Amino acid sequence: LLRSELAESIRVRPTGASFTGRRMSGQSVTTPLGEVPTMTFAGSTFEQVEVGIFDMSSFPAELAGIGGFLSLAFLADHPLTVDYERGVVIVETRETLAARYAEGALLSVTVERDGPSVTMFMPLTIPGGRSISVEIDMGSDALILDERFAEETGASLDGDGVRRVEATDETGHPYTRRFTRLAGRIYPTAAPHLAQDDPEVMFQRIIHDGLVGDAFLRRHVVTFDVAGAAILLG
């Protein structure tokens, strides 16, 4: 996704096509598509790259300097590692990817493709023992769960210590979010040894089971292998 002002300044013209995606709360968001002749990232050059041209004027002020967002679709054929502690991202080669597979915890994921959009989902076990399918979302911080899982995870959405936020999103949709801490542990269903105890959680009425974000991911060196339908946690 490119900020619309940036796309205009480098003369990226819409192709006439568009893509409509859905927010986690279900609202549709449509963005026109364009094409950039070349883009270079981490020493690799990509040609004829399809981009979304996105109006970011309603985004928070701290994102004012962001020119765009790099997605899994951009690197669908190029595995990418995010090393949070070192503050670097690495585009893997065949050889370095093999080393990641040898050293990290392998988690099989479901890859959903919708036109130019690519999304990863993984099984996550929540307090109470249920395994749910959560979207892997680096853009969120705390674990996000749909409201229907509150009771079985032991969370009282109207109890003491629950922070409630009511607002309206960029599409004009009103929402209610409740923030609390779960008593128990969450873990990738295939890797119980990677459990996180008593995680912070946000409950909201959403179209997915949940989303797992930075609060979980940043404890690891994370490799995204879209083609291999896997992530690796080092």
Side-chain angles (χ1 to χ4, degrees):
L1 289 173
L2 290 184
R3 182 182 291 271
S4 54
E5 297 93 335
L6 174 61
E8 182 177 357
S9 71
I10 62 175
R11 299 179 181 177
V12 176
R13 297 188 181 278
T15 60
S18 64
F19 172 72
T20 299
R22 298 176 72 193
R23 297 170 59 88
M24 69 176 184
S25 46
Q27 287 64 52
S28 296
V29 178
T30 299
T31 182
L33 301 178
E35 190 172 83
V36 176
T38 61
M39 291 180 69
T40 300
F41 177 74
S44 298
T45 298
F46 305 84
E47 297 183 351
Q48 307 304 316
V49 179
E50 186 176 53
V51 297
I53 302 170
F54 202 61
D55 179 6
M56 301 183 192
S57 59
S58 62
F59 279 31
E62 58 265 26
L63 295 180
I66 299 297
F69 294 87
L70 190 63
S71 75
L72 286 175
F74 182 72
L75 290 161
D77 299 319
H78 304 270
L80 177 76
T81 293
V82 180
D83 188 330
Y84 285 84
E85 185 174 347
R86 293 171 56 204
V88 298
V89 294
I90 303 160
V91 178
E92 301 290 353
T93 65
R94 180 178 299 178
E95 292 74 20
T96 60
L97 181 63
R100 299 282 185 195
Y101 268 87
E103 298 171 359
L106 170 64
L107 304 179
S108 296
V109 299
T110 300
V111 178
E112 288 193 1
R113 297 177 184 266
D114 179 11
S117 172
V118 175
T119 309
M120 281 184 168
F121 293 85
M122 78 171 190
L124 183 79
T125 297
I126 57 177
R130 185 196 293 257
S131 179
I132 63 175
S133 177
V134 295
E135 178 183 344
I136 301 169
D137 179 17
M138 293 178 67
S140 63
D141 185 18
L143 172 70
I144 301 172
L145 294 179
D146 184 71
E147 290 179 352
R148 68 185 186 276
F149 297 116
E151 183 176 358
E152 69 182 79
T153 58
S156 174
L157 296 186
D158 297 314
D160 294 338
V162 175
R163 181 166 62 92
R164 179 187 178 110
V165 175
E166 295 184 359
T168 301
D169 66 24
E170 297 87 348
T171 68
H173 174 72
Y175 62 80
T176 300
R177 295 173 176 172
R178 294 175 175 89
F179 297 82
T180 186
R181 183 180 293 277
L182 293 182
R185 53 179 36 192
I186 61 169
Y187 55 87
T189 302
H193 63 288
L194 298 180
Q196 178 182 352
D197 292 320
D198 304 329
E200 296 283 351
V201 63
M202 182 187 91
F203 284 100
Q204 184 179 335
R205 187 172 299 170
I206 58 176
I207 60 175
H208 306 305
D209 287 352
L211 295 85
V212 65
D214 262 12
F216 183 84
L217 296 172
R218 63 176 173 250
R219 303 183 306 156
H220 304 279
V221 177
V222 185
T223 300
F224 297 88
D225 183 4
V226 177
I231 64 170
L232 300 157
L233 301 181

